[in-house]
Structure formats: C-alpha cells, structure tokens
Amino acid sequence: MKQRTIKKDIEIVGIGLHKGVPVKMRLEPMPSNSGIIIYRSDVAVTIPLKKEFVVDTKMATVLGKDGVIVSTIEHLLSAIYAYGIDNLRIVLDNDEIPILDGSASGYCMLIEEAGIAEQEESKKAIKIKKEVVVTTEDGKRVSLKPSNRIVYDFEIKFNHPAIGNQKFHFDYSIEDYKESIAKARTFGFLHEVQYLRSIGLALGGSMENAIVLDETKILNPEGLRYDDEFVRHKILDAIGDMALLEYTMIGEYEAVAGSHHLNHLLTKKLYEDKDNYEIIDLEEASSEAKVFELAFAKQLSAE
C-alpha cells in the first residue's frame, strides 16, 4: 500500500471556536515522506504534527513552536487520520482550525472534494506490540494494546440525565467513520460556556457548532444526531489525538473518561520504550496491509 495525499489544493473560511473570528484554511498536497505540517501564513511559522510540539491539552489539543500556536486541531486531524492521509500541508491565517459544525463531517467532505492521490513511496504504520496504559487516581484510563485490527473503545460517565453512562466500540473503516463517528458534535455545559466567555474563550461557540446542555437537558432545538452522540464524539477526538503518533495505528485504543491530556501522555509513553511498538512498511507486511486494504476498500473503489 502506498502513501497518500490529496489531489489538489482546497480552501475554506470558517470561525474559530475560542476567538470567534474568521479563519482561512487551505489544505495542500505534499510529496511522499513529508508528513503532516501546519503553516501559519500570518506569521510564517511551520509546525510539524509531532507530539513534541503539543503545548496545551486543557480545552483542546494545541500545537506550538517559537511562541506561535495552532489550537483545536483534533477534529480536522481526526478526518485526515481516518482517511489515511500521510502527507499534507494545512495553511492557516490565524491560530485556530475552523470549528465548522463541531464535528469532522465537513472535513470529510473537504477531503473528498479535493480527492485522494496515492503516491510512489510505501505507506508505513505503527503496530502496537505491548500494552501501554495511563491512569489517574480518580479512575480515568487510556490505553493502547496489540490487535490485528484498528479498534477504538470508549466509555464515558456523566452525572447528567441526558448523558449518563455511554459506551461505543468502533472497528475502523472509512465508511463506518463517516457514518458512525464523523457526524458526532462536540458538547459543553452552559455554565462552562458562560465561564469560558467571561475569560475570553469560546467566543465562537454556539448551538450551530456544539451540543449545549444546561443542568437537566439538551438545549439544541434539533436534538441529537445519535442517542449516544457524546461518546461517539469522544472517539472522534481520540482518533485526532492519535494522529500525533505520526503513523496510522494498528492496535486497540481503549478509554474510560479519556481526555486530550491523557491521550497526549499515552502517545508519549508509547514512544518511551521501543519494545512497545514497531514501525512497519505496508508494502512488505502483507497481513497488516490487508487491514488497511479492507478499511479503505469502499472508499478507494468510489474514487
């Protein structure tokens, strides 16, 4: 299997979640072995998509270099990673990725409009060889463990009547990602939104790009896209955060009340010991390549 990029440049303008200002974003093809990079055109700074450049994970995954940041990257990265794109430049004229409708669905449409091109160099993947776990004292847990498939399992528990305890198991494929994960929107509580706005954040947030809840109910008049939209969005975020591994993962991700911060600690911990993983060439590893061929089959045949 070969590396992938997009066929042509494609550009959109959207609103940043926290500053609430317009952001122009352009996706550009890149040659084989370039990786994913972000370029802030307003300050002429390039930030590679690598775990070493993560500077904040409190409200979103934030990359930074030389005092320049790019925030709320996880929804776009989730779509890029889900489509198996290896090489791409993301050009921005501000410090946030556009939030669109709070899901990854718009980014999927953007990628499909640009088209996907296979390149000359073989694709690589990271295969999990040993279980790696990050836990907290209050019972939160994220892990990566060996599997011959690409799997995401997530469980959330919220003391809220509209959420409660939700679990979702996702066996990866492009089609299932688009139908089951990409449409799930980010969510927040009204009291949190009010606080964030008081400190100059979430200025672009609204019920147009998030599910908003008060103490007892969902405030969005259209309701939910799925009964368990909340946990599905957590998987969307996790896929975006795993893009910081730099290679598509073969293995199983599991989380109980996981977060951007725990996901970052997990990617760092995985790379601390070379016995935890193996970087494989999908032109040489036929059994692993089959995993990707099955995952991409419908999407490739549709192009």
Side-chain angles (χ1 to χ4, degrees):
M1 188 172 185
K2 301 295 187 182
Q3 292 181 31
R4 317 179 95 195
T5 187
I6 56 174
K7 290 181 177 177
K8 63 180 182 181
D9 293 3
I10 191 160
E11 186 172 285
I12 61 166
V13 176
I15 297 295
L17 176 63
H18 286 301
K19 285 190 174 180
V21 298
V23 183
K24 183 186 292 183
M25 181 180 79
R26 186 171 67 254
L27 305 182
E28 299 176 348
M30 290 291 285
S32 295
N33 301 320
S34 299
I36 309 294
I37 59 174
I38 301 175
Y39 179 66
R40 280 279 304 275
S41 60
D42 54 324
V43 289
V45 171
T46 295
I47 307 174
L49 180 62
K50 296 178 182 289
K51 62 186 184 305
E52 293 83 1
F53 293 95
V54 174
V55 296
D56 192 4
T57 53
K58 289 191 291 292
M59 299 301 300
T61 299
V62 182
L63 299 181
K65 180 185 173 188
D66 301 332
V68 175
I69 67 164
V70 175
S71 180
T72 324
I73 64 173
E74 57 272 9
H75 299 172
L76 173 60
L77 290 183
S78 182
I80 290 170
Y81 196 58
Y83 277 75
I85 293 173
D86 303 283
N87 308 297
L88 187 74
R89 187 165 86 145
I90 303 162
V91 181
L92 299 165
D93 67 355
N94 212 312
D95 63 5
E96 285 188 272
I97 301 288
I99 191 62
L100 303 186
D101 71 346
S103 77
S105 185
Y107 298 123
C108 292
M109 290 187 284
L110 200 66
I111 291 167
E112 292 192 355
E113 185 177 342
I116 294 174
E118 290 201 334
Q119 300 178 284
E120 66 279 4
E121 297 291 332
S122 59
K123 185 179 180 69
K124 294 180 172 62
I126 183 166
K127 186 171 184 177
I128 309 304
K129 295 180 69 177
K130 291 173 61 178
E131 185 173 17
V132 178
V133 183
V134 176
T135 59
T136 65
E137 292 181 357
D138 58 355
K140 297 176 182 178
R141 182 180 188 274
V142 293
S143 69
L144 290 170
K145 61 183 183 181
S147 175
N148 291 324
R149 299 174 299 156
I150 305 168
V151 176
Y152 286 82
D153 275 305
F154 215 113
E155 179 178 359
I156 58 173
K157 299 176 183 177
F158 280 84
N159 185 23
H160 190 284
I163 305 178
N165 189 346
Q166 296 185 2
K167 298 180 182 180
F168 198 84
H169 173 89
F170 176 58
D171 260 307
Y172 173 78
S173 76
I174 281 281
E175 292 303 311
D176 285 345
Y177 176 82
K178 289 195 295 184
E179 291 304 314
S180 303
I181 302 298
K183 298 174 186 178
R185 295 161 295 173
T186 192
F187 61 94
F189 299 94
L190 186 60
H191 67 275
E192 293 176 344
V193 174
Q194 291 168 337
Y195 167 72
L196 290 170
R197 287 183 172 173
S198 75
I199 59 172
L201 297 174
L203 300 178
S206 72
M207 285 185 282
E208 298 295 318
N209 53 39
I211 304 167
V212 182
L213 305 99
D214 64 12
E215 294 180 359
T216 61
K217 64 185 181 299
I218 297 162
L219 300 180
N220 301 61
E222 75 281 6
L224 298 176
R225 295 176 177 177
Y226 314 94
D227 290 341
D228 54 359
E229 188 169 355
F230 304 98
V231 71
R232 292 180 192 231
H233 184 80
K234 288 292 189 179
I235 290 179
L236 186 159
D237 279 346
I239 293 171
D241 286 341
M242 289 305 103
L244 273 299
L245 292 173
E246 300 176 48
Y247 304 94
T248 304
M249 174 196 73
I250 299 177
E252 184 167 352
Y253 168 96
E254 286 187 346
V256 176
S259 65
H260 295 303
H261 179 61
L262 292 180
N263 289 338
H264 177 50
L265 296 180
L266 183 63
T267 58
K268 289 172 64 178
K269 188 172 182 179
L270 178 74
Y271 275 115
E272 286 174 2
D273 186 343
K274 291 185 177 179
D275 290 337
N276 291 335
Y277 65 93
E278 178 184 7
I279 306 300
I280 59 174
D281 188 312
L282 293 177
E283 292 285 287
E284 299 172 359
S286 58
S287 60
E288 287 84 0
K290 193 68 175 176
V291 174
F292 285 87
E293 288 169 5
L294 291 171
F296 292 132
K298 290 183 181 179
Q299 193 254 337
L300 285 173
S301 64
E303 287 180 359

